Amino acid sequence: MRQSEKHDDLRDDAACATDDAGPDAPSRSLSAADRVRDAILAGVLTPGSRINEVHLSRDLGMSRTPIRAALHTLAAEGLIDYERNRGFIVREFALQAVLDAYEIRASLEGVACRLAAERGLTAEQKQRIETALRDGDRALDVDRIGPAELAAYGMVNVTIHGMLLAAAQNRMLSEAIRMTINMPGVNTRNIVPASPRIMRRRHDDHHRLYDLVRSGEAVRAELLMREHVISVKSGLLANTEQRETDP
Amino acid sequence: MRQSEKHDDLRDDAACATDDAGPDAPSRSLSAADRVRDAILAGVLTPGSRINEVHLSRDLGMSRTPIRAALHTLAAEGLIDYERNRGFIVREFALQAVLDAYEIRASLEGVACRLAAERGLTAEQKQRIETALRDGDRALDVDRIGPAELAAYGMVNVTIHGMLLAAAQNRMLSEAIRMTINMPGVNTRNIVPASPRIMRRRHDDHHRLYDLVRSGEAVRAELLMREHVISVKSGLLANTEQRETDP
DNA sequence: CACAACATTAGTGTATACAATTGCCCTTGA
DNA sequence: TCAAGGGCAATTGTATACACTAATGTTGTG
């Protein structure tokens, strides 16, 4: 079958999954969920294609039982669709859906930021944010922003947004935001390419957000965070349009 | 065992699950997910208690396999927690979490309303909303709002919010909003008790929301919907405080 | 040649068996 | 009396077998 070839990319990593077996090793179904999720986000499993449980179980070196559990989890997360007696299908996300996801995320992170401002930051959160802010300053204060600086700034970005989200102290909020990030095409880690000027402006937002949250200016913090995230959407949109007319 | 007694309430319905077996019958795991979800939302399965797969499978008249699939789904939905080798635990929601859920929902429904205003309503959606608006007018235009009127208004409420959400044409948004509603203590169906004056004001919001969406005033629609949902939170909060000091 | 009915096969849905882990109770010793 | 340890029961994790559904190919007929 040619469908099994689609899963070939997973097989290599499969070997290393069976060897560890440490006491804290995640259960197979959890590891399977992570593996399949990564495969979808990385584009290895192409949207619209059906997921064959037998092949997948062979490739991941486990039986169908944990596989099915993982697939049900991913279905509830919205990454794959389930049809009775037809199994699971990798969900397709239109560009419009991706753009909408930024709207949703902007709104949610805005709320998170407001709650964070109302509830305050722990000493550790403050410290980690301040460190991240300095790291960001350093990464962006160079003539040429190379891959190393980009990677560093990516971590800075994750840390700051993560700390503000943690300060909101609400799990549902975290999960909803994760939904908006866990979709093909959206990825905090892979920073959308942007000019140094825009990146510095975004990082300036981080400074201002921190100041607003720390001083408890909840409404302003919410609005700025919304704008901050939406600007990424605009950048993505411009980038996409450019890419379409480019080649 | 005393744990099995906890599931007794499920057993009665279990009988009718096995008899139908129509061609369009949902798979066991789906029906199990629905059943357990309802049980949690209805408070039959108490927060904090562990879910015993064997007992549950007996009570629902199916094997553990579809049960486990259903539980994984519910875990991804956030209704229950999963701990490796310890199984599933009904999640507890503090009052603060419930209140936060309203904030999240307000924000999300606001976005939905904005998108609906931008994207427009279909003829059918318009018609169904207009019908619902009239039904609501009729239900509230009485001297004494009794259980029948309350139930009728509940359906009106669901229809209007549902149509506006559908008009937003975004699945992730729908799913995220469902998350905020599918939690114990929050329930669109069970309208929070409110005075006739407040109910009429809320329904007036519905009229204004429809007008704004229909005329494409996206920003105003978003803001009004936010306020509309938040007001329910305030009502709930006042109600809870009153109930605590009452008896 | 087109098409429909059937046979075949691939694939999902569920049940059951067994392995592994956890939690509990009882014993034993200080 | 209490703490530590060990064994047993309960419960979860995974594998496998089988039933059932859907898809596919094949063959016979108009």
Side-chain angles (χ1 to χ4, degrees):
Chain A
M1 291 277 103
R2 58 221 61 79
Q3 173 130 21
S4 78
E5 297 173 11
K6 285 184 181 175
H7 300 295
D8 271 355
D9 308 53
L10 293 174
R11 197 171 298 160
D12 296 334
D13 327 55
C16 68
T18 50
D19 57 49
D20 57 342
D24 292 338
S27 70
R28 291 189 194 286
S29 75
L30 287 185
S31 113
D34 292 342
R35 200 78 65 76
V36 175
R37 195 188 352 257
D38 290 346
I40 292 173
L41 292 178
V44 175
L45 294 177
T46 56
S49 66
R50 282 179 61 176
I51 294 178
N52 186 310
E53 298 175 3
V54 177
H55 299 155
L56 190 58
S57 65
R58 241 210 319 272
D59 295 347
L60 294 184
M62 61 186 76
S63 83
R64 283 177 54 217
T65 309
I67 295 285
R68 283 180 62 81
L71 293 179
H72 273 103
T73 297
L74 293 178
E77 287 180 14
L79 272 177
I80 59 182
D81 283 327
Y82 170 76
E83 283 180 54
R84 173 181 162 76
N85 285 328
R86 296 200 57 229
F88 297 89
I89 298 172
V90 182
R91 195 165 146 191
E92 303 188 76
F93 289 92
L95 174 61
Q96 189 54 253
V98 176
L99 296 178
D100 286 358
Y102 274 102
E103 290 286 347
I104 298 168
R105 186 178 152 206
S107 179
L108 291 173
E109 289 219 50
V111 172
C113 220
R114 168 157 52 89
L115 294 182
E118 288 170 356
R119 290 166 193 183
L121 296 158
T122 68
E124 193 205 339
Q125 285 163 349
K126 283 182 187 171
Q127 198 232 309
R128 289 188 60 181
I129 291 179
E130 285 166 13
T131 304
L133 285 173
R134 276 195 299 273
D135 290 349
D137 292 340
R138 211 176 312 126
L140 297 179
D141 186 28
V142 291
D143 292 338
R144 173 91 179 81
I145 297 180
E149 285 76 22
L150 215 74
Y153 180 68
M155 285 180 53
V156 165
N157 198 45
V158 169
T159 301
I160 292 173
H161 284 259
M163 286 300 105
L164 292 177
L165 182 53
Q169 299 177 37
N170 187 286
R171 188 170 141 188
M172 179 180 285
L173 204 43
S174 305
E175 286 169 0
I177 290 174
R178 196 157 42 79
M179 267 184 54
T180 67
I181 296 177
N182 266 226
M183 60 191 298
V186 187
N187 222 323
T188 323
R189 285 159 288 186
N190 304 3
I191 293 286
V192 177
S195 71
R197 196 183 111 259
I198 291 184
M199 289 183 70
R200 293 199 184 95
R201 193 168 77 178
R202 290 215 186 111
H203 190 56
D204 192 56
D205 284 347
H206 291 156
H207 279 279
R208 290 163 66 191
L209 282 168
Y210 176 56
D211 291 341
L212 289 173
V213 167
R214 206 178 32 162
S215 60
E217 298 191 59
V219 176
R220 287 180 65 196
E222 172 169 12
L223 290 177
L224 180 56
M225 179 57 102
R226 265 184 95 134
E227 172 55 30
H228 176 71
V229 176
I230 287 291
S231 79
V232 178
K233 170 192 165 189
S234 308
L236 178 69
L237 188 56
N239 202 294
T240 308
E241 284 168 350
Q242 182 191 339
R243 196 177 295 168
E244 276 174 0
T245 59
D246 218 19
Chain B
M1 294 280 104
R2 57 222 59 82
Q3 173 130 22
S4 79
E5 296 173 12
K6 285 185 181 174
H7 299 297
D8 272 356
D9 309 52
L10 293 174
R11 196 174 296 162
D12 296 336
D13 329 53
C16 68
T18 52
D19 56 49
D20 56 342
D24 293 337
S27 70
R28 292 190 194 287
S29 75
L30 287 185
S31 112
D34 293 342
R35 199 78 64 77
V36 175
R37 195 193 345 262
D38 290 345
I40 293 173
L41 292 179
V44 174
L45 294 177
T46 56
S49 66
R50 281 179 61 175
I51 294 179
N52 186 308
E53 297 174 3
V54 176
H55 299 155
L56 189 58
S57 66
R58 240 208 322 269
D59 295 346
L60 294 184
M62 62 186 76
S63 84
R64 281 177 55 216
T65 310
I67 295 285
R68 283 179 64 80
L71 293 178
H72 273 103
T73 297
L74 293 178
E77 287 180 14
L79 272 177
I80 59 182
D81 283 328
Y82 171 75
E83 283 180 55
R84 173 180 161 77
N85 286 329
R86 296 201 57 228
F88 298 89
I89 298 172
V90 182
R91 195 167 147 190
E92 302 188 76
F93 289 91
L95 174 61
Q96 189 54 253
V98 176
L99 296 178
D100 285 359
Y102 274 103
E103 290 286 346
I104 298 168
R105 185 179 152 204
S107 180
L108 290 172
E109 290 219 50
V111 172
C113 221
R114 168 158 54 89
L115 294 182
E118 288 169 356
R119 290 166 193 183
L121 296 158
T122 68
E124 193 205 339
Q125 284 163 350
K126 284 183 188 173
Q127 199 232 310
R128 289 187 61 182
I129 291 179
E130 285 168 13
T131 305
L133 286 173
R134 276 196 299 274
D135 290 349
D137 292 340
R138 211 176 313 126
L140 298 179
D141 186 28
V142 291
D143 291 339
R144 173 91 179 80
I145 297 179
E149 285 77 21
L150 215 74
Y153 180 68
M155 285 181 53
V156 165
N157 197 47
V158 169
T159 301
I160 292 174
H161 283 259
M163 286 300 105
L164 292 177
L165 182 53
Q169 298 177 39
N170 187 285
R171 190 170 138 187
M172 179 180 284
L173 203 44
S174 305
E175 286 168 1
I177 290 173
R178 194 157 44 79
M179 268 184 55
T180 67
I181 295 177
N182 266 227
M183 60 190 300
V186 186
N187 222 322
T188 323
R189 285 159 287 184
N190 304 2
I191 293 287
V192 177
S195 71
R197 196 184 112 259
I198 290 183
M199 289 185 70
R200 293 199 184 96
R201 193 168 77 177
R202 289 213 187 112
H203 191 55
D204 193 56
D205 284 347
H206 291 156
H207 278 279
R208 291 163 66 192
L209 282 168
Y210 176 55
D211 291 340
L212 288 172
V213 167
R214 206 177 34 161
S215 60
E217 298 190 60
V219 176
R220 287 180 64 195
E222 172 169 12
L223 291 176
L224 180 57
M225 179 57 102
R226 266 184 93 133
E227 171 55 29
H228 176 71
V229 176
I230 287 291
S231 79
V232 178
K233 171 193 166 189
S234 308
L236 177 69
L237 188 56
N239 202 293
T240 308
E241 285 169 349
Q242 182 191 338
R243 194 177 297 169
E244 275 174 1
T245 59
D246 218 19

